[in-house]
Amino acid sequence: MLRICSALVLICVCLPVWAEVSGLVRVIDADTLDVGDTRVRLHAIDAPEQDQICQTEHGFDFACGAWASAQVADQFEGAFARCTQMDTDRYGRVVAICRVNGVDIGQEIVSQGLAFAYRRYGMDYDLDEKSAYVADRGLHGFRVQSPAQFRQTRAKGRIPPDPSCRIKGNISKNGRIFHVPGQEFYERTGINTDKGERWFCSPAEARAAGWRAARR
């Protein structure tokens, strides 16, 4: 008689155990919160950086990053949130979906046009952003660079660390020349502080430091 024997094989798979995070909200910017003692990056949304500048339809500068943060703070600062962790980012922040009284904070922010769906990390709020775009809500009523593009541009020294000091003090073979917003070579000029290049708050400050104005 042929006897077939079977063995029970136990396989242990180690999966991350995510903790629930809860506590009072302190708004850092429009997509980052402190929930209790934990720094939380809201899942699948991307808001303008705190120092990001947008433009109105008439071409006037608008501090959209600070504005979006203030709008989120008006709604959620001091509220009690419960968050479900989805991941941990490269900065060690908890990436989570957070709710206040059952309301998904990320969804609410995107629906109001205060942030964008971050489709690279999830399609959770894709339709919410499209709805806000069609209605020109929040940031969709302005000329706004995507936060990801803004971060990439700023990293190349083209965006001032202080929005009120936007004059570029460049050093080239032609000497020390400063460029003001609107001039021909302003956008393509990057500032490398390691080379001694600088940002200035006024033409007078630049001249006093030894820079001359660009001709165009």
Side-chain angles (χ1 to χ4, degrees):
M1 180 176 65
L2 178 65
R3 179 174 293 177
I4 300 175
C5 299
S6 63
L8 178 64
V9 179
L10 297 179
I11 300 176
C12 295
V13 179
C14 294
L15 298 174
V17 178
W18 300 126
E20 294 288 322
V21 177
S22 63
L24 298 181
V25 170
R26 185 169 71 89
V27 174
I28 305 303
D29 57 34
D31 58 23
T32 307
L33 316 171
D34 280 347
V35 178
D37 297 327
T38 303
R39 180 64 51 90
V40 174
R41 177 70 161 78
L42 293 173
H43 168 68
I45 78 170
D46 201 16
E49 296 298 311
Q50 189 78 334
D51 58 346
Q52 188 166 339
I53 302 295
C54 303
Q55 286 189 327
T56 68
E57 61 180 3
H58 300 297
F60 296 107
D61 286 347
F62 171 63
C64 57
W67 173 79
S69 298
Q71 295 298 308
V72 173
D74 283 346
Q75 296 179 63
F76 297 108
E77 185 83 20
F80 186 85
R82 298 183 184 277
C83 305
T84 302
Q85 184 174 0
M86 308 295 288
D87 204 347
T88 301
D89 70 10
R90 58 178 175 167
Y91 303 109
R93 298 175 299 187
V94 168
V95 178
I97 295 174
C98 296
R99 292 179 172 84
V100 170
N101 295 325
V103 174
D104 182 335
I105 298 177
Q107 183 177 36
E108 190 69 12
I109 291 171
V110 173
S111 295
Q112 294 181 26
L114 302 176
F116 304 94
Y118 210 171
R119 296 174 180 85
R120 175 181 174 184
Y121 295 105
M123 298 295 289
D124 307 55
Y125 309 119
D126 174 66
L127 294 179
D128 299 292
E129 182 191 306
K130 289 174 179 174
S131 176
Y133 174 79
V134 169
D136 279 341
R137 284 196 293 271
L139 296 166
H140 301 290
F142 301 95
R143 298 172 187 168
V144 55
Q145 187 179 35
S146 78
Q149 289 176 328
F150 173 81
R151 289 190 292 269
Q152 183 178 15
T153 302
R154 182 174 60 182
K156 295 178 181 178
R158 288 178 169 81
I159 299 296
D162 182 347
S164 63
C165 298
R166 302 176 62 193
I167 296 174
K168 297 179 177 180
N170 179 240
I171 300 175
S172 69
K173 63 181 181 180
N174 297 317
R176 296 171 181 260
I177 299 172
F178 69 84
H179 303 262
V180 301
Q183 288 190 298
E184 182 176 352
F185 298 107
Y186 180 83
E187 293 297 336
R188 71 180 72 173
T189 298
I191 296 302
N192 185 344
T193 55
D194 292 337
K195 289 172 48 181
E197 295 176 333
R198 294 177 53 186
W199 294 94
F200 295 103
C201 301
S202 70
E205 181 186 8
R207 290 191 181 94
W211 269 257
R212 64 178 175 84
R215 294 189 178 92
R216 56 197 177 103

